Amino acid sequence: MNWNAFKRLFHYLGRYKLRLILVMIAAVLSTLFTVLTPAVTVLLRGVKPEWILRTITEEKCTIVWLLVTLIALYLVAQLFAILQSFSMTKLTACVMETLRGDIDRKMHHLKLDY
């Protein structure tokens, strides 16, 4: 494995530290909310099926609250996943543009007979 190539790549990534940190935070939050979603599903298992058939308002509110919480967790997890993917795509594009520019400058400095 060529560690010099990794060092140079991290040198290019170092210019975008803030964006890289935001991508990592979005990835952690997306994973966190994705992991929390099954916990709400476990709570839904505690809801007895006969509660759905009854007309008691309090029990219906409990079911609705759990479903709204579950939907909200899924939406927040997807929001952070989308934020992560768009940010990482932009970061990759910026690094590739910098790499291409450096390669272009290097090629223009080479002698023609090279």
Side-chain angles (χ1 to χ4, degrees), residues 2-16 20 92 95-96 99:
N2 189 356
W3 292 106
N4 290 331
F6 280 114
K7 287 179 186 177
R8 286 190 308 218
L9 181 62
F10 283 124
H11 171 71
Y12 283 106
L13 284 173
R15 298 176 186 173
Y16 304 101
L20 190 61
T92 303
V95 169
M96 291 305 296
L99 278 170

Side-chain angles (χ1 to χ4, degrees), residues 14-34:
R15 298 176 186 173
Y16 304 101
K17 286 179 187 175
L18 181 62
R19 186 169 291 170
L20 190 61
I21 289 170
L22 290 175
V23 166
M24 288 182 195
I25 289 171
V28 167
L29 289 174
S30 173
T31 304
L32 178 71
F33 283 111
T34 303

Side-chain angles (χ1 to χ4, degrees), residues 50-67:
E50 60 267 8
W51 284 8
I52 298 170
L53 300 175
R54 290 186 190 166
T55 58
I56 300 174
T57 312
E58 182 181 322
E59 292 167 350
K60 282 186 178 180
C61 287
T62 303
I63 293 171
V64 170
W65 179 81
L66 288 172
L67 289 174

Side-chain angles (χ1 to χ4, degrees), residues 44-110:
L44 279 174
R45 287 186 189 154
V47 176
K48 298 176 184 175
E50 60 267 8
W51 284 8
I52 298 170
L53 300 175
R54 290 186 190 166
T55 58
I56 300 174
T57 312
E58 182 181 322
E59 292 167 350
K60 282 186 178 180
C61 287
T62 303
I63 293 171
V64 170
W65 179 81
L66 288 172
L67 289 174
V68 167
T69 304
L70 188 63
I71 290 169
L73 284 173
Y74 273 122
L75 289 176
V76 170
Q78 289 305 309
L79 175 75
F80 282 116
I82 289 170
L83 179 68
Q84 174 200 358
S85 63
F86 279 125
S87 297
M88 196 61 201
T89 302
K90 180 69 174 168
L91 177 71
T92 303
C94 289
V95 169
M96 291 305 296
E97 183 180 3
T98 306
L99 278 170
R100 287 186 187 121
D102 287 352
I103 290 170
D104 187 49
R105 279 189 291 283
K106 178 144 179 124
M107 294 299 277
H108 284 292
H109 284 290
L110 291 175

